[in-house]
Amino acid sequence: MVRKLPVLGLVALLAAGCGSKKSVFDGKQISAENTSKKSKSDFKDYNKVITADATSDEGLFTTHFVDSKLYFEIPLDLLDKDMLLVSRIAQVPDGYGGGYVNAGSKVNEQVVRWTRRKDNIDVKVISFENESDEESPIYKSVRANNYFPILYSSKIKAFNNDSTSVVIEVNDLFENEVQAIDGLPAGLRKRYKVKKLDKSRSYIESAHAYPKNIEVKHVMTYEAQEPPQRNQAGTISMMMNQSMVLLPEEKMQPRIADPRVGWFTIDKYDYNSEELKSDDYEIIRRWKLVPKDIEAYKRGELVEPEKPIVYYLDPATPKKWRPYFKKGIEDWNVAFEKAGFKNAVIAKDPPSKEEDPAFSPEDVRYSVVRYVASTTRNATGPSVSDPRTGEIIESDIIWYHNHLRSYRNRFMIEAGAQTEAARTLNTPEEEIGEMMRMVIAHEVGHALGLPHNMKASSAYPTDSLRSASFTQKYGLTPSIMDYARVNYVAQPGDEGVRYIRMMGPYDLYAINWGYRYLPEAKSPRAEKDTLDKWILAKAGNPWFEFGSGYGGVDPQSQRESLGDDQVKASEYGLANLKRVVPNLVKWTSKDGYAYDDLEEVYRELTYMWRGYVSHVVANIGGVYETKKTSNQDGVVYENVPKEKQKEAMDFLISEAFTTPEWLLDQGILNRIEASGAIERVQGLQTRALKSLLNKDRLKRLIANEEANGKKAYTAVNMLSELRRGIFSELYRNRKVDAYRRNLQRSYVDIASSYLKQLRQDNSDDELLKSDIMPLMRGEMQTLKRELNRRKSNTNDALTRYHWNDLIARIDAGLDVDA
């Protein structure tokens, strides 16, 4: 195989580094590295640096603590080896990042090499994003224009007794602000008005060495004017965890990604491409699985991998939940059997000290499902991968204890109308255990390389989710990587349906595509024809389509949505919510306790309503996306049909923009708050209105009309129907209640905000030149005429004042006095 040169990128233009005595264009270089004239005797004696008081830990490097100083003893044969430096936040202050940054969050991942430069050891950042064959003429140019920056440098303090290792002090790497491993990004620095790092309160907490990795925890304390939670210390302290992992000497053959099958990927740029530019492509992230018996594998037999994927349970995992965790891990074996492997994924209990005295979750040789005693309501499935090849080296699934609470609440809210098991705060173990199992399976899916597939949930006919035989066989979606946690479509009387998600046919398909071993293909390019054939064989079947759910354009690719008809699914979901609300006091009350649980569940129920509404809003100006390549028939993008958009608007008028009397249950509200219901409904409805009147949605409606004429649901159609629905009292000569007054004010304020941009210096120039401005001006002028013509028809004084107030708001938006 031709060796390729890894290169960095334009960041190297800013980097200072060790030079050479000749240009790279001058042929053979005389490097400034390794040219020290000092002998070993010129350095300090090893025993004077690493004293008898040192606390040492042997591993990849040997770490030594001498008082407060940390030394790395680096074997010379590990210099210039590729290592992955992964920076994570180990502990964060309460409220940090608005509560969205959790312990365990990864902040950076980069390849480094420890190299010697005279009497120094440098840490260089290496990138494998750009590449070129060494034999190619362009190789020298790529190298010269992609120089590796130096992250850190330290003087050599000593050599060990047999001169096979160097000793350096590394305190400055972990106790100073080094941006590449820092956990405080620029945005949060600005939010919290961070001044500087306080070195007197920043220190190294621990350092541990393992055979293939080094783990260092260090505390960083920053002076901040406005720290999270307004703490009295005026500082932000966080604990960082730096993991340095030795990358494999033998590289796995990469697999080239395809956007039609969802995978986490790594970008590559090949400057040896025959195209008239660099060849931009991606490789997938996956574990290295090689059959023990390749000939048997070729014959179609199931074969065990040489090295299976093994997950250990955290010793802190409660014993009652361990069986569910293990099932969730090993559920993936069904998918790997499609790829020709048996026993590919193995779950193990944590070993005892007698069984494995060296076991540690920090050791990169062990992948662990960690059970974290935390109020965080989440679970994550991160992994560490080799950027050279995409090979996943290790992963730690993180389960936060209070995530149980999320699923308990969701089960009650979305299935309480249909099944008795959901009508309690103490969800039966069988149901909550099954939910935990599927959460773990979902997170393991991420750790195997699979991203979210939000399009999967639109593959099944909505009414099929009311069928026991269908849901028990196929689950709620074709992929467990979708967010489709509870079957809210099922209705009371739908006996035997499945309520909890499960693995589906897409998952088996994706694992086969990414993991099937192709022994005859000797390069990534040689695999492409086979991989393409597998995709084309499933083309046109929505069960095997992929969509990330990002962008908000495709209504068939949304979080928490179910079924192929979002309007029908949301109607079913709302019908169930309306049945649940009258029972919440009974289902959440505990003798001797206040109504905290009732308040929490009720609040989350309102979020469900908001979610069902947003699923429908996405159809307005929506565009279906079906990922295709140029050898496939049909287009990639199609506008949502006019009839479907009209149906969606009818739903929004009747459910989103009509006062939800069913939600305003006084039996609940009088137990949880003195006031706030009006504002809560206003917030929910305003959110839906803002989404509906979003400028990008309006632009898509305008573009659709231009392309499809009378076949299109136009922006004028939408705005006219919206106005008549929101101001129905005006057109029917009726009194307007407080909820509707708030909604109508929100509509006028949102529409007027577009027109006010005409008078702002920092306005969006593209918006000002679009048809959105005349549309909004026309709607405001039409509404003003209707208000002036009809306002005197009401006998209700407050309604009349309200109409006059709206006219004043419209005038302010139109700037009639200018």
Side-chain angles (χ1 to χ4, degrees), residues 242-518:
Q242 309 295 343
S243 301
M244 190 171 61
V245 181
L246 181 65
L247 292 176
E249 195 75 28
E250 183 181 337
K251 297 179 184 177
M252 179 186 76
Q253 179 169 291
R255 179 155 293 178
I256 297 173
D258 189 300
R260 295 169 292 179
V261 187
W263 283 86
F264 291 128
T265 62
I266 298 170
D267 292 333
K268 294 286 183 179
Y269 301 90
D270 187 355
Y271 284 87
N272 281 101
S273 170
E274 295 297 325
E275 302 292 331
L276 300 180
K277 63 179 183 61
S278 62
D279 187 4
D280 306 351
Y281 66 101
E282 297 172 306
I283 60 173
I284 68 172
R285 299 174 185 252
R286 57 178 183 153
W287 297 78
K288 183 179 181 180
L289 290 187
V290 178
K292 283 183 178 179
D293 186 339
I294 291 180
E295 293 306 315
Y297 188 88
K298 287 180 180 179
R299 294 193 297 269
E301 299 175 26
L302 289 179
V303 178
E304 291 185 344
E306 291 178 355
K307 184 180 178 182
I309 303 165
V310 179
Y311 278 98
Y312 289 87
L313 300 190
D314 190 327
T317 308
K319 290 186 177 179
K320 69 182 292 186
W321 302 130
R322 291 184 183 185
Y324 299 104
F325 277 34
K326 291 167 80 172
K327 287 178 182 176
I329 295 167
E330 295 186 345
D331 278 343
W332 284 97
N333 278 318
V334 175
F336 278 101
E337 287 176 4
K338 286 290 184 182
F341 292 101
K342 66 179 179 180
N343 303 323
V345 185
I346 299 172
K348 292 186 176 183
D349 287 316
S352 64
K353 284 291 184 184
E354 294 73 26
E355 291 171 327
D356 188 351
F359 175 81
S360 169
E362 303 288 344
D363 191 332
V364 76
R365 294 175 301 168
Y366 303 101
S367 291
V368 180
V369 179
R370 301 194 183 207
Y371 197 100
V372 180
S374 167
T375 57
T376 299
R377 293 165 64 174
N378 198 12
T380 62
S383 63
V384 174
S385 58
D386 184 343
R388 304 170 305 177
T389 63
E391 178 183 353
I392 295 174
I393 308 297
E394 176 266 354
S395 78
D396 286 336
I397 309 300
I398 302 175
W399 172 278
Y400 297 95
H401 177 76
N402 264 24
H403 206 32
L404 287 167
R405 188 173 177 174
S406 299
Y407 280 84
R408 177 201 70 178
N409 292 356
R410 182 176 285 273
F411 191 48
M412 175 182 288
I413 294 165
E414 295 194 303
Q418 309 97 291
T419 176
E420 189 173 351
R423 299 167 188 167
T424 173
L425 292 173
N426 297 310
T427 311
E429 182 178 326
E430 182 179 354
E431 279 76 15
I432 200 69
E434 181 70 2
M435 292 180 216
M436 294 178 76
R437 170 185 177 180
M438 294 307 161
V439 175
I440 293 297
H442 176 95
E443 301 305 338
V444 170
H446 284 320
L448 295 173
L450 301 180
H452 290 131
N453 181 7
M454 300 306 184
K455 197 172 183 70
S457 55
S458 65
Y460 295 160
T462 300
D463 280 323
S464 293
L465 300 178
R466 300 184 59 185
S467 164
S469 59
F470 185 91
T471 55
Q472 294 296 350
K473 183 175 182 179
Y474 298 112
L476 310 188
T477 86
S479 178
I480 200 168
M481 303 315 298
D482 202 333
Y483 277 176
R485 306 168 212 256
V486 177
N487 186 351
Y488 61 81
V489 167
Q491 298 294 291
D494 294 343
E495 298 293 335
V497 297
R498 182 175 178 88
Y499 288 101
I500 301 166
R501 61 181 170 176
M502 59 183 269
M503 198 168 294
Y506 173 86
D507 302 314
L508 278 59
Y509 160 71
I511 290 296
N512 176 71
W513 190 91
Y515 278 97
R516 179 163 285 278
Y517 188 71
L518 298 175

Side-chain angles (χ1 to χ4, degrees), residues 564-732:
D564 64 349
D565 187 330
Q566 292 77 42
V567 174
K568 182 183 286 188
S570 291
E571 287 173 344
Y572 282 139
L574 284 174
N576 285 330
L577 294 189
K578 292 172 183 179
R579 298 180 182 109
V580 166
V581 167
N583 293 287
L584 281 185
V585 174
K586 179 173 63 175
W587 294 349
T588 61
S589 296
K590 293 184 289 186
D591 291 346
Y593 290 87
Y595 292 104
D596 293 349
D597 287 316
L598 172 63
E599 182 179 3
E600 177 179 298
V601 173
Y602 177 77
R603 183 180 66 250
E604 292 183 25
L605 184 144
T606 65
Y607 298 159
M608 302 297 179
W609 173 53
R610 184 180 74 187
Y612 298 159
V613 167
S614 70
H615 295 160
V616 176
V617 169
N619 284 274
I620 309 295
V623 181
Y624 299 139
E625 180 187 27
T626 306
K627 296 180 184 295
K628 295 180 180 181
T629 52
S630 58
N631 58 325
Q632 292 178 261
D633 294 333
V635 297
V636 175
Y637 299 103
E638 292 182 276
N639 294 100
V640 174
K642 179 177 182 178
E643 297 74 21
K644 176 58 68 176
Q645 295 194 53
K646 178 68 170 66
E647 183 185 3
M649 180 55 72
D650 291 343
F651 172 93
L652 294 173
I653 295 300
S654 63
E655 295 293 350
F657 302 134
T658 298
T659 304
E661 303 288 351
W662 60 273
L663 191 64
L664 305 172
D665 188 302
Q666 294 304 309
I668 295 175
L669 297 178
N670 291 338
R671 285 174 167 83
I672 65 173
E673 61 189 16
S675 63
I678 292 177
E679 291 77 13
R680 182 185 297 107
V681 171
Q682 181 187 27
L684 292 166
Q685 291 184 324
T686 299
R687 184 185 179 100
L689 258 181
K690 285 183 176 179
S691 178
L692 190 60
L693 296 175
N694 173 270
K695 66 178 182 179
D696 292 328
R697 191 180 313 282
L698 293 171
K699 286 179 182 177
R700 292 196 298 272
L701 286 167
I702 294 166
N704 185 17
E705 178 180 8
E706 188 66 26
N708 296 301
K710 293 183 179 179
K711 294 181 180 179
Y713 185 69
T714 68
V716 171
N717 294 152
M718 187 272 281
L719 291 170
S720 175
E721 291 180 25
L722 180 63
R723 170 172 36 84
R724 289 186 169 275
I726 287 180
F727 293 93
S728 61
E729 295 89 346
L730 179 67
Y731 291 99
R732 297 174 184 174

Side-chain angles (χ1 to χ4, degrees), residues 29-73:
Q29 299 179 67
I30 302 173
S31 176
E33 300 179 6
N34 301 312
T35 58
S36 173
K37 294 181 180 180
K38 286 186 180 182
S39 65
K40 179 183 175 182
S41 61
D42 293 321
F43 295 95
K44 286 187 178 181
D45 185 77
Y46 179 83
N47 294 328
K48 290 183 179 179
V49 179
I50 308 301
T51 67
D53 296 328
T55 301
S56 303
D57 195 9
E58 293 185 13
L60 181 67
F61 299 172
T62 300
T63 63
H64 304 281
F65 269 114
V66 181
D67 296 326
S68 60
K69 290 186 176 181
L70 174 62
Y71 295 93
F72 281 175
E73 183 177 330

Side-chain angles (χ1 to χ4, degrees), residues 113-179:
R113 289 179 189 158
W114 297 76
T115 65
R116 184 179 178 186
R117 174 176 52 90
K118 295 184 178 180
D119 303 332
N120 299 273
I121 296 296
D122 296 334
V123 182
K124 290 188 174 183
V125 178
I126 313 298
S127 174
F128 296 87
E129 188 175 75
N130 302 318
E131 56 187 18
S132 174
D133 295 336
E134 278 193 356
E135 290 78 6
S136 169
I138 203 173
Y139 166 83
K140 292 179 180 179
S141 178
V142 170
R143 178 175 175 179
N145 287 284
N146 294 276
Y147 194 76
F148 300 142
I150 297 175
L151 174 69
Y152 174 71
S153 185
S154 181
K155 291 285 186 182
I156 296 173
K157 298 293 185 183
F159 285 79
N160 68 344
N161 293 330
D162 61 2
S163 299
T164 58
S165 299
V166 294
V167 177
I168 62 171
E169 182 189 333
V170 293
N171 286 64
D172 285 346
L173 176 59
F174 302 112
E175 293 177 349
N176 288 325
E177 286 191 78
V178 179
Q179 186 175 358

Side-chain angles (χ1 to χ4, degrees), residues 518-587:
L518 298 175
E520 305 301 331
K522 303 305 181 185
S523 71
R525 299 288 180 190
E527 295 182 336
K528 187 165 175 34
D529 285 345
T530 299
L531 298 175
D532 284 350
K533 288 177 183 176
W534 293 345
I535 295 174
L536 293 175
K538 304 294 186 182
N541 187 335
W543 290 20
F544 302 102
E545 289 183 6
F546 171 74
S548 67
Y550 298 109
V553 173
D554 186 352
Q556 302 283 39
S557 187
Q558 300 191 71
R559 299 165 56 128
E560 311 290 359
S561 181
L562 281 178
D564 64 349
D565 187 330
Q566 292 77 42
V567 174
K568 182 183 286 188
S570 291
E571 287 173 344
Y572 282 139
L574 284 174
N576 285 330
L577 294 189
K578 292 172 183 179
R579 298 180 182 109
V580 166
V581 167
N583 293 287
L584 281 185
V585 174
K586 179 173 63 175
W587 294 349

Side-chain angles (χ1 to χ4, degrees), residues 189-225:
R189 284 175 181 270
K190 184 176 181 181
R191 181 196 297 189
Y192 300 132
K193 297 184 178 179
V194 172
K195 298 178 182 177
K196 64 178 181 178
L197 180 76
D198 184 347
K199 291 193 67 174
S200 68
R201 289 180 280 185
S202 301
Y203 57 90
I204 298 171
E205 173 75 15
S206 64
H208 296 288
Y210 303 97
K212 293 185 178 181
N213 63 300
I214 303 292
E215 301 292 320
V216 178
K217 286 187 170 67
H218 57 110
V219 173
M220 307 290 281
T221 299
Y222 302 87
E223 295 179 9
Q225 285 184 293

